[in-house]
């Protein structure tokens, strides 16, 4: 095993001074949640200087471009995550597999390993290469999945497209946060609206293709020639993601984030990256290499060997470096586990529920079923917009915005079971789509904010992996349970109630206390 890189720390320089609070914690502009003053003083002082420099530069057109380009990753992940469940019935009608949930299962397996792989490697070798390649990989395998000749190849390609998409949620929030001035970190929550854009595209594509290019009766089976709708769905989704991936590498020349460079003791690159942004947009920038070097070298970010077990150990140990940080990390991962079970049971299998309610609410054609599905998915967009506004307020902040979304989700999920006509069915599902995404959008943003920069992608990737693992559990539940009944809705309501409670007891509130 490798050992920690030795360091010579020069902490006496006045240029390194960053004022701690009464507890000895250093005030970080991006809500760094580790008491780095006691764990790694050089990192503590340097991070404070870099955060001050980012605040000095302020919000620029470069950040606006990142908002859109990183949002593409959100949209792609959401769009692709919905494809297997949307297409499952039609794919099964064509191939007649023994196990009809394999598509959803393979997707979550791919997302799980993708989140771990891209997250951990992003802390080891950098954010840049994953940011530039993950979307392209997803696009290629989505298009290939649309041409799958049999059920086995379709499930394999679902896993591969998901492996590429699995890193998007990890990298998009991490990269954007590490460039943002403190006063604009609420934009991470707003960026989750792109998740709703992806859902909307999934619903609209399904509405366009499945009623018009699918078997008349999925129960009796059909040939490929009369069942092209699900293939058109994959081709179109893959094409959209491909365009997103090209825009991501052509619209902006992405540099490694300054905070990752800082953790590599590459002070020159930190200054070069931030200085180029300041110069391009005519913003003030006074931080120098000399100031950073006077603070010494960061000692807790890496082992001597990047390929050793010690390297992995350092990143996970850094997530539990203090009692408060350890509690925060554990509660974050628990929250992602619970939402990973609740969200798919309601959303991913919502088509089953819609189809079953046709008998109660009048015979719903495929056109009406997918129309309602598209409308419901579109209402995922306002949730993060509302959450973004609430996160800015002193009354709610991050924690209580999540609690608010969790409580409302629980209430409306319970109310949903009382729906007795088609209008109520659609109305409740639309409201639930809004309030669930108030919670989910805020959790997406809060997670990287509550993790230390040197280990942020590892912690974020593990959180998303927890989410995907319980997504697998939800598929198993759907295999042996009847998702067309109200039981999954009651279970989802209970889970969201628990998530609201967890939100309140999170130890850190980035919106109010920046000395985490």
């Amino acid at each position: 095993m490798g050992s920690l890189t030795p360091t010579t720390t020069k902490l006496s320089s006045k240029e390194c001074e960053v004022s701690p609070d009464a507890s000895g914690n250093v005030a970080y502009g991006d809500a760094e949640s580790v008491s780095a003053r006691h764990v790694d003083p050089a990192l503590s002082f340097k991070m404070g200087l870099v955060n001050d420099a980012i605040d000095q530069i302020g919000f620029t057109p470069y950040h606006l471009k990142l908002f859109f380009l990183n949002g593409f990753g959100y949209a792609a992940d959401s769009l692709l995550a919905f494809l297997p469940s949307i297409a499952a019935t039609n794919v099964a009608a064509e191939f007649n597999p023994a196990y009809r949930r394999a598509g959803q299962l393979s997707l979550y397996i791919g997302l799980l390993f993708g989140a771990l792989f891209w997250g951990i490697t992003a802390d080891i070798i950098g954010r840049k290469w994953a940011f530039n390649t993950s979307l392209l990989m997803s696009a290629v395998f989505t298009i290939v999945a649309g041409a799958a000749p049999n059920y086995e190849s379709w499930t394999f390609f679902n896993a591969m497209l998901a492996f590429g998409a699995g890193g998007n949620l990890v990298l998009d929030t991490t990269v954007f946060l590490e460039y943002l001035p403190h006063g604009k970190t609420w934009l991470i929550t707003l960026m989750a609206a792109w998740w709703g854009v992806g859902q909307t595209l999934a619903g609209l594509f399904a509405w366009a293709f499945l009623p018009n290019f699918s078997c008349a009766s999925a129960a009796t089976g059909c040939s490929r020639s009369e069942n092209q709708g699900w293939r058109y769905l994959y081709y179109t989704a893959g094409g959209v993601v491909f365009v997103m991936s090209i825009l991501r590498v052509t619209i902006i020349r992405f540099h490694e984030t300054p905070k990752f460079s800082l953790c590599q003791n590459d002070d020159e690159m930190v200054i070069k990256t931030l200085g180029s942004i300041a110069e391009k947009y005519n913003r003030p920038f006074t931080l120098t290499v000399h100031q950073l070097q006077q603070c010494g070298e960061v000692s807790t970010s890496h082992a001597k060997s990047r390929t050793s077990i010690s390297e992995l150990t350092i990143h996970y140990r850094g997530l539990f470096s203090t009692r408060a940080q350890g509690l925060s990390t554990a509660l974050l991962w628990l929250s992602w586990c619970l939402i990973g079970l609740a969200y798919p049971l309601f959303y991913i299998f919502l088509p089953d529920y819609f189809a079953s309610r046709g008998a109660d609410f009048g015979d719903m054609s495929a056109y009406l079923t997918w129309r309602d599905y598209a409308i419901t998915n579109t209402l995922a967009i306002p949730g993060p917009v509302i959450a973004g506004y609430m996160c800015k307020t002193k009354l709610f902040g991050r924690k209580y915005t999540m609690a608010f979304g969790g409580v409302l989700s629980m209430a409306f999920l319970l109310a949903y079971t009382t729906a007795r006509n088609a209008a109520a069915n659609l109305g409740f599902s639309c409201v639930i789509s809004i309030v669930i995404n108030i919670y989910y959008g805020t959790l997406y943003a809060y997670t990287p904010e509550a993790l230390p920069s040197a280990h942020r992608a590892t912690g974020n990737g593990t959180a998303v992996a927890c989410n995907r693992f319980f997504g697998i559990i939800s598929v198993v539940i759907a295999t042996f349970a009847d998702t067309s009944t109200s039981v999954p809705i009651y279970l989802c309501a209970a889970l969201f109630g628990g998530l609201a409670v967890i939100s309140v007891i999170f130890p850190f509130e980035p919106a109010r206390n920046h000395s985490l």
Side-chain angles (χ1 to χ4, degrees):
M1 291 186 180
S3 59
L4 289 176
T5 305
T7 177
T8 302
T9 309
K10 300 180 244 182
L11 299 177
S12 60
S13 172
K14 291 292 184 181
E15 294 175 289
C16 293
E17 290 186 357
V18 182
S19 301
D21 65 7
S23 301
N25 296 331
V26 176
Y28 290 120
D30 68 343
E32 284 280 7
S33 58
V34 61
S35 299
R37 183 177 179 86
H38 306 294
V39 177
D40 188 341
L43 175 61
S44 167
F45 294 136
K46 284 186 171 185
M47 196 64 71
L49 293 173
V50 168
N51 282 322
D52 286 345
I54 291 174
D55 285 343
Q56 183 183 32
I57 294 171
F59 191 82
T60 70
Y62 183 83
H63 296 90
L64 185 61
K65 291 178 182 178
L66 282 179
F67 177 83
F68 283 91
L69 296 176
N70 290 38
F72 288 168
Y74 263 62
D77 189 89
S78 175
L79 169 60
L80 301 182
F82 279 76
L83 294 186
S85 61
I86 292 174
T89 300
N90 298 90
V91 174
E94 182 174 331
F95 297 129
N96 193 28
Y99 179 53
R100 293 177 172 244
R101 297 286 186 187
Q104 292 99 318
L105 187 61
S106 65
L107 179 96
Y108 278 106
I109 291 173
L111 290 171
L112 188 158
F113 285 102
L116 287 174
F117 174 79
W118 298 109
I120 292 172
T121 55
D123 274 339
I124 296 175
I125 63 175
R127 284 69 157 125
K128 181 178 179 179
W129 70 279
F131 182 80
N132 287 336
T133 60
S134 57
L135 269 188
L136 180 61
M137 179 181 179
S138 299
V140 170
F141 279 106
T142 302
I143 295 171
V144 173
N150 52 55
Y151 195 77
E152 291 75 18
S153 62
W154 178 69
T155 57
F156 172 76
F157 293 134
N158 273 325
M160 293 306 297
L161 71 88
F163 181 81
N168 280 318
L169 291 180
V170 179
L171 271 299
D172 293 329
T173 52
T174 297
V175 167
F176 193 38
L177 177 62
E178 292 185 355
Y179 273 103
L180 276 177
H182 174 260
K184 298 294 184 180
T185 53
W186 61 272
L187 288 171
I188 300 289
T189 303
L190 180 63
M191 194 171 72
W194 284 96
W195 179 268
V197 172
Q199 279 187 227
T200 300
L201 291 176
L204 292 175
F205 293 161
W207 186 18
F209 295 126
L210 296 186
N212 300 311
F213 303 98
S214 300
C215 304
S217 175
T220 60
C222 54
S223 65
R224 175 169 179 166
S225 61
E226 60 180 341
N227 193 41
Q228 290 289 310
W230 72 268
R231 296 182 185 275
Y232 296 155
L233 175 68
Y234 271 78
Y235 294 149
T236 306
V240 169
V241 176
F242 180 76
V243 172
M244 290 178 178
S245 68
I246 297 301
L247 292 175
R248 187 176 254 194
V249 296
T250 56
I251 288 181
I252 195 171
R253 185 178 179 183
F254 177 71
H255 301 284
E256 191 55 78
T257 69
K259 293 184 179 181
F260 178 81
S261 298
L262 181 70
C263 294
Q264 315 312 300
N265 286 304
D266 192 351
D267 297 334
E268 291 83 1
M269 183 56 67
V270 173
I271 300 303
K272 181 180 178 180
T273 301
L274 293 177
S276 64
I277 296 174
E279 181 180 4
K280 182 175 181 179
Y281 299 107
N282 195 28
R283 300 298 178 87
F285 179 65
T286 57
L287 184 63
T288 66
V289 173
H290 176 71
Q291 285 178 287
L292 292 176
Q293 290 178 340
Q294 284 298 306
C295 298
E297 292 187 353
V298 175
S299 63
T300 60
S301 297
H302 295 287
K304 284 184 176 180
S305 172
R306 299 290 179 91
T307 59
S308 66
I309 297 298
S310 290
E311 175 73 14
L312 188 63
T313 301
I314 284 171
H315 289 298
Y316 276 104
R317 190 169 60 198
L319 299 170
F320 296 88
S321 56
T322 66
R323 179 178 296 180
Q325 179 63 66
L327 175 62
S328 177
T329 299
L331 291 176
L332 279 173
W333 289 353
L334 175 61
S335 297
W336 280 93
C337 288
L338 296 181
I339 192 68
L341 183 60
Y343 191 84
L345 281 177
F346 176 73
Y347 248 120
I348 304 301
F349 303 114
L350 190 60
D352 292 349
Y353 189 73
F354 270 147
S356 70
R357 304 301 273 183
D360 297 331
F361 302 148
D363 186 19
M364 292 181 68
S365 65
Y367 176 87
L368 292 177
T369 295
W370 291 112
R371 181 207 66 179
D372 289 357
Y373 188 65
I375 293 172
T376 301
N377 283 352
T378 303
L379 268 296
I381 298 175
V385 176
I386 295 170
Y389 174 78
M390 293 176 65
C391 284
K392 293 175 61 178
T393 66
K394 293 182 179 180
L395 178 62
F396 288 98
R398 311 309 195 251
K399 291 168 51 175
Y400 291 101
T401 298
M402 283 189 283
F404 178 78
V407 169
L408 286 185
S409 297
M410 178 182 67
F412 281 105
L413 281 164
L414 292 174
Y416 193 8
T417 61
T418 67
R420 294 294 180 267
N421 56 61
N425 189 43
L426 179 59
F428 275 121
S429 63
C430 287
V431 174
I432 290 168
S433 184
I434 294 173
V435 296
I436 279 181
N437 283 283
I438 290 176
Y439 173 84
Y440 216 168
T442 311
L443 180 65
Y444 274 124
Y446 179 83
T447 300
E449 283 191 289
L451 297 169
S453 287
H455 319 293
R456 177 172 287 143
T458 298
N460 204 3
T462 303
V464 176
C466 290
N467 177 275
R468 304 317 187 185
F469 177 77
F470 275 83
I472 294 172
I473 300 299
S474 74
V475 176
V476 174
I477 292 174
T479 301
F480 298 101
D482 185 0
T483 55
S484 64
T485 71
S486 299
V487 174
I489 296 178
Y490 283 115
L491 176 59
C492 290
L495 290 172
F496 273 103
L499 287 166
V501 173
I502 294 173
S503 300
V504 173
I505 62 177
F506 276 128
F508 302 136
E509 175 49 76
R512 297 197 187 101
N513 180 7
H514 317 314
S515 304
L516 305 176

